[in-house]
Amino acid sequence: MELIQNTPDLSAYLAADEVIDHDNPRVRETAARLAKEADDSYAYARLAYEFVRDTIPHSQDSGDPRVTWRASDVLEQRTGICYAKAHALAALLRAEDIPTALCYQRFDVVHGLVAVRFNGAWHRQDPRGNKPGVNAQFSLEGEQLAFTPDPRAHEMDHPVLYAEPHPAVIEALKAATDRPHLWRTLPTAL
């Protein structure tokens, strides 16, 4: 699948905004701490990915009713669904000048992940969190995502790489009073 930037300006994939708030002190401190352990940007990207995947539980898996959407809130509250975890990872990567896009897959609902740009190409990564039946890994050599769409079930990978979270995702996250409410209003298409 060919990944398509929704803007040709690569600097858009480094920008901070209300959601990917990598200018927030909590995000900056976490990024600086992780960067101390890395020899280069590739090692940093892997560390940031593993940090989000492994230390921030997916709220559905953990039963946490809180809904987070802003990267700094995900890091502070240590919870989030796939979109929120993708926002946190994007902020940590952008904080260290690694172009990062938000991208999506469609299953029964839309699933969120990221793509990082290394060696002139985009590489999708899924920080959702592993569990039995899910073994997502950081890789630039070939995707190892949490889920693989089944076209026979009308599931699909969306090829668009967004510089900002999709508005339907943010609308659902911001409007949710808790995770059970969010589950009833998750986007089913983009």
Side-chain angles (χ1 to χ4, degrees):
M1 174 182 69
E2 180 182 348
L3 298 174
I4 304 162
Q5 292 178 208
N6 77 326
T7 177
D9 181 4
L10 196 58
S11 69
Y13 297 93
L14 292 168
D17 60 29
E18 178 186 25
V19 179
I20 312 299
D21 59 340
H22 65 75
D23 50 358
N24 177 281
R26 181 173 307 279
V27 176
R28 303 299 299 170
E29 181 276 323
T30 304
R33 184 170 32 84
L34 292 169
K36 287 180 186 177
E37 301 174 32
D39 295 332
D40 57 26
S41 61
Y42 174 79
Y44 172 81
R46 178 185 293 280
L47 283 171
Y49 169 84
E50 290 172 352
F51 173 80
V52 172
R53 182 195 65 192
D54 299 341
T55 71
I56 299 171
H58 188 285
S59 58
Q60 175 70 16
D61 295 347
S62 67
D64 193 324
R66 296 174 292 167
V67 175
T68 54
W69 54 270
R70 183 179 289 119
S72 57
D73 293 340
V74 174
L75 295 175
E76 178 184 353
Q77 296 181 36
R78 291 292 225 243
T79 191
I81 67 165
C82 60
Y83 310 125
K85 291 182 68 159
H87 300 161
L89 180 56
L92 290 172
L93 295 171
R94 289 180 183 188
E96 291 295 316
D97 295 321
I98 298 171
T100 307
L102 298 155
C103 46
Y104 304 93
Q105 297 174 305
R106 187 185 78 212
F107 298 97
D108 289 337
V109 295
V110 174
H111 174 62
L113 50 155
V114 303
V116 295
R117 188 156 178 94
F118 277 103
N119 304 321
W122 289 100
H123 307 273
R124 293 188 311 163
Q125 313 294 328
D126 192 340
R128 180 224 180 274
N130 290 338
K131 64 179 186 174
V134 176
N135 184 25
Q137 301 295 323
F138 184 87
S139 176
L140 302 182
E141 302 303 317
E143 294 182 341
Q144 191 166 346
L145 306 177
F147 308 110
T148 302
D150 179 357
R152 294 170 299 173
H154 304 289
E155 298 173 349
M156 65 176 285
D157 286 309
H158 286 277
V160 178
L161 301 173
Y162 294 90
E164 299 173 347
H166 194 281
V169 167
I170 296 304
E171 181 179 310
L173 290 169
K174 285 183 173 182
T177 55
D178 59 20
R179 188 184 35 77
H181 175 252
L182 176 62
W183 239 242
R184 294 188 302 272
T185 61
L186 286 173
T188 57
L190 297 178

